[in-house]
Amino acid sequence: MKIIATISDLKQHLKKEKVNGSTIGFVPTMGFLHEGHVSLMEASKKENDVSVISIFVNPLQFGPNEDFESYPRDLERDARIAENAGVDFLFAPLPEEMYPARPSISIHVKDRVDVLCGSKREGHFDGVAAVLTKLFNIVQPDRVYFGLKDAQQVAVVDGLINDFNIPVELRAMPTIREEDGLAKSSRNVRLSPDEREMAPVIYQSLKWAEEAAKNGVGDEAALISGIKERIENETSGEIDYIEIYSYPSLKKMDVLEGKFIIAAAVKFSDARLIDNIIISAGA
Amino acid sequence: MKIIATISDLKQHLKKEKVNGSTIGFVPTMGFLHEGHVSLMEASKKENDVSVISIFVNPLQFGPNEDFESYPRDLERDARIAENAGVDFLFAPLPEEMYPARPSISIHVKDRVDVLCGSKREGHFDGVAAVLTKLFNIVQPDRVYFGLKDAQQVAVVDGLINDFNIPVELRAMPTIREEDGLAKSSRNVRLSPDEREMAPVIYQSLKWAEEAAKNGVGDEAALISGIKERIENETSGEIDYIEIYSYPSLKKMDVLEGKFIIAAAVKFSDARLIDNIIISAGA
């Protein structure tokens, strides 16, 4: 695996691969890799001749009160994980390389952002869209890999690719879970032993709602209150939101039909967990 | 030459060319082609294996009070001109093909827009940047051709390409002129015979300023008043603006050094003419 810090170096390496007709898989990340990322890198490795991962903590997608400076970074560890997952090129540019000057042009994501976690992170997805536009142009991948754990990000990327005709296939990969169903997250270690035992209820309640929807419960309010009830009764967590939207357009639905997402955010004492389930109704 | 209306058709054709290693030259236009466009198509033909022209009157770049509906269109005539200029693919999509839904993401050009003609066309370059981002992703050209007659557009495209690392070479081609120096424009036919005779003074005054700058006149105000004086004394036109900026950053300059543009807009009875000259000082 080659570790590369400059855009021109990366382009030169990838040019050689493309001339040979190799397909390129790309996993954009902010580093501090965990099993979710590993599943994306493994999928990329399996489906493409060459795999590229980027590790870049993008200042543009952090709000003024967010943790850009303290966001965890460990390139050495990340490089070992990426190499083991079969990555060929690790692209880790400095901020000056990606933004040599203040950007003179910005991207504004208008739809799909004022819901779920996005409603509290104004401008976050504008920064995500800008850095991905740059990375897509630099890497020019055949396929790009994102995890459905952050289903809103996948939805926004889907919009970006469609609106601007970006020539890449979006591969949205399933959430990786512990054996008891809890979505894997670097935040799970911040759960107390008691909380860790209760936390799988989040996914169980989403699965219950999926079952109910498949059995004909088309009432959004009934599904949401059923999920709330279980989480409130069976965990010590505080519900941040339980929301249902069409997917990937993330619009309010009058009737639950087609593809939709049920998403939950639950606060424990020192960790806020998110999870979701995407359902194709009437199938 | 093939005339193509859909994105998928165009991509299929170009894919075949790229697999063969052909380079692609691209001339994005709004049609109603004139000699300026022809010079761009000829340059593309000369420098690339395959030449693509797009003809698309982009609704996104017209303001609410601008002439989107009445903008002149003549695809049959344009096709003849493009074919004669050696174009291989003419891409002429309908608006529904380019914008099947209301765009969910917009691009905002922050710099280089509040000067020259852009100061009166709010949002114009946002629409230009959005359609070009789409077209660049669809065509994936090696080189893209724009005329320096619209030097502000070239400057904005330069910013777009740099900010988003778009993998294309920007070829900014010189303004095509009549024998007496008047910049060619489809608006020149709307000049009266008297006005047509006076109009070359615009370019002559810009050339005078270039000469003065090269001979050490570093005073912006002196150059501007010299140009104004000639145009006011020797034509019946009304000056809209004479402005000097760094190029392509289009910033106010304290001292005239490096590369800068002197641009003029002059209103005659039924035609507003623009022209400019780009100067590398201290060379």
Side-chain angles (χ1 to χ4, degrees):
Chain A
M1 185 184 74
K2 283 201 164 60
I3 300 182
I4 294 175
T6 70
I7 294 167
S8 60
D9 253 26
L10 181 64
K11 290 184 75 161
Q12 232 165 51
H13 280 290
L14 293 179
K15 199 174 180 177
K16 279 182 214 154
E17 304 288 348
K18 280 170 197 163
V19 166
N20 296 334
S22 293
T23 56
I24 312 275
F26 178 42
V27 185
T29 81
M30 299 214 299
F32 218 70
L33 304 177
H34 53 62
E35 285 157 286
H37 298 113
V38 170
S39 77
L40 302 181
M41 294 186 277
E42 286 174 350
S44 171
K45 164 92 178 157
K46 197 174 153 191
E47 297 178 356
N48 304 276
D49 301 318
V50 172
S51 282
V52 180
I53 183 175
S54 64
I55 294 186
F56 180 61
V57 183
N58 174 32
L60 244 53
Q61 71 194 65
F62 286 79
N65 299 316
E66 290 179 0
D67 55 343
F68 171 68
E69 292 299 339
S70 65
Y71 194 88
R73 294 159 169 90
D74 189 343
L75 186 58
E76 219 171 289
R77 180 178 157 278
D78 286 346
R80 272 198 312 277
I81 294 173
E83 181 148 34
N84 285 336
V87 165
D88 301 287
F89 298 101
L90 187 162
F91 178 51
L94 290 174
E96 310 81 280
E97 176 72 7
M98 290 296 280
Y99 303 110
R102 188 184 69 86
S104 69
I105 300 181
S106 61
I107 294 185
H108 180 50
V109 184
K110 296 185 283 187
D111 296 345
R112 314 180 188 203
V113 295
D114 292 335
V115 297
L116 305 174
C117 299
S119 63
K120 283 169 197 143
R121 303 191 70 186
E122 205 198 315
H124 167 69
F125 286 113
D126 293 353
V128 171
V131 80
L132 287 177
T133 300
K134 287 171 72 72
L135 289 168
F136 289 158
N137 280 326
I138 293 165
V139 177
Q140 297 179 61
D142 295 276
R143 295 179 192 85
V144 66
Y145 295 80
F146 289 94
L148 277 168
K149 174 111 190 302
D150 189 346
Q152 186 170 18
Q153 177 170 267
V154 172
V156 168
V157 174
D158 179 74
L160 180 71
I161 289 173
N162 284 324
D163 271 16
F164 291 126
N165 307 91
I166 299 175
V168 67
E169 182 189 344
L170 172 59
R171 300 281 291 127
M173 308 306 285
T175 300
I176 303 298
R177 300 182 178 282
E178 304 288 352
E179 269 185 30
D180 59 11
L182 178 64
K184 292 213 182 194
S185 162
S186 37
R187 287 170 178 147
N188 291 349
V189 298
R190 305 212 303 250
L191 296 170
S192 73
D194 270 7
E195 288 175 338
R196 175 62 190 82
E197 206 162 306
M198 301 166 192
V201 169
I202 301 171
Y203 185 55
Q204 287 160 21
S205 69
L206 294 173
K207 289 295 280 183
W208 164 82
E210 179 182 39
E211 222 26 61
K214 286 196 170 161
N215 290 328
V217 177
D219 180 356
E220 185 185 303
L223 295 178
I224 290 177
S225 69
I227 295 168
K228 280 194 172 160
E229 207 170 300
R230 279 206 64 178
I231 294 175
E232 280 167 357
N233 290 341
E234 300 176 34
T235 82
S236 60
E238 186 199 328
I239 290 172
D240 185 3
Y241 63 73
I242 310 289
E243 295 177 13
I244 299 182
Y245 299 106
S246 62
Y247 195 83
S249 59
L250 296 184
K251 291 203 172 107
K252 267 276 175 210
M253 304 177 83
D254 294 326
V255 184
L256 297 183
E257 57 186 9
K259 206 170 165 187
F260 61 93
I261 186 171
I262 310 180
V266 180
K267 286 182 200 165
F268 289 93
S269 51
D270 192 32
R272 179 174 169 281
L273 304 185
I274 61 169
D275 203 350
N276 69 75
I277 202 160
I278 292 168
I279 299 170
S280 290
Chain B
M1 186 184 74
K2 282 200 163 61
I3 300 181
I4 294 176
T6 69
I7 294 168
S8 61
D9 252 26
L10 181 64
K11 290 185 74 163
Q12 233 165 49
H13 279 291
L14 293 179
K15 199 172 180 179
K16 279 182 215 152
E17 303 289 347
K18 281 171 197 164
V19 166
N20 297 334
S22 294
T23 56
I24 312 277
F26 178 42
V27 184
T29 82
M30 299 215 298
F32 218 70
L33 304 177
H34 52 65
E35 287 157 285
H37 298 113
V38 170
S39 78
L40 302 181
M41 293 186 278
E42 286 174 349
S44 171
K45 165 94 180 157
K46 197 173 155 191
E47 298 178 354
N48 303 277
D49 301 317
V50 172
S51 282
V52 181
I53 183 175
S54 64
I55 293 184
F56 179 60
V57 183
N58 175 32
L60 244 54
Q61 71 194 65
F62 286 79
N65 300 317
E66 290 179 359
D67 56 343
F68 171 68
E69 292 298 340
S70 64
Y71 194 88
R73 293 158 169 92
D74 189 343
L75 186 59
E76 220 171 290
R77 179 178 159 278
D78 286 346
R80 271 199 312 276
I81 294 172
E83 181 148 33
N84 286 336
V87 166
D88 302 286
F89 298 101
L90 187 162
F91 179 50
L94 289 173
E96 309 81 279
E97 177 73 6
M98 291 295 279
Y99 303 110
R102 188 185 68 87
S104 69
I105 300 181
S106 61
I107 294 185
H108 179 52
V109 184
K110 296 184 284 187
D111 294 346
R112 316 179 188 203
V113 294
D114 292 335
V115 297
L116 304 175
C117 299
S119 62
K120 283 169 197 147
R121 303 192 69 185
E122 205 198 315
H124 167 70
F125 286 113
D126 294 353
V128 171
V131 80
L132 287 178
T133 300
K134 287 171 72 73
L135 288 169
F136 289 159
N137 281 325
I138 293 166
V139 177
Q140 296 178 64
D142 295 275
R143 294 180 192 86
V144 66
Y145 295 80
F146 288 94
L148 277 169
K149 173 110 189 302
D150 189 346
Q152 185 169 20
Q153 177 170 268
V154 171
V156 168
V157 174
D158 179 75
L160 180 70
I161 289 174
N162 284 323
D163 271 18
F164 291 126
N165 307 91
I166 299 175
V168 68
E169 183 189 343
L170 172 58
R171 300 281 291 125
M173 308 306 285
T175 301
I176 303 298
R177 300 183 179 282
E178 304 289 350
E179 271 185 28
D180 59 11
L182 178 64
K184 292 214 182 193
S185 163
S186 37
R187 287 169 178 147
N188 291 350
V189 296
R190 306 212 303 250
L191 297 169
S192 73
D194 270 7
E195 289 175 335
R196 174 65 190 80
E197 206 161 306
M198 303 166 189
V201 169
I202 301 171
Y203 185 55
Q204 287 161 21
S205 69
L206 294 173
K207 290 294 280 183
W208 164 83
E210 179 181 39
E211 223 23 64
K214 285 194 170 162
N215 290 329
V217 177
D219 180 357
E220 184 184 304
L223 294 178
I224 290 177
S225 70
I227 295 168
K228 279 193 172 163
E229 207 169 301
R230 280 207 62 177
I231 293 175
E232 280 167 356
N233 290 343
E234 299 176 34
T235 82
S236 61
E238 187 198 328
I239 290 172
D240 185 5
Y241 62 72
I242 311 289
E243 296 177 14
I244 300 183
Y245 300 105
S246 62
Y247 195 85
S249 59
L250 296 184
K251 291 199 172 110
K252 267 273 173 213
M253 303 177 85
D254 293 327
V255 184
L256 296 183
E257 58 186 9
K259 207 169 165 188
F260 60 93
I261 185 170
I262 310 180
V266 180
K267 287 182 203 166
F268 289 91
S269 52
D270 191 32
R272 178 174 169 280
L273 304 186
I274 61 170
D275 203 351
N276 69 76
I277 202 160
I278 292 168
I279 298 169
S280 289

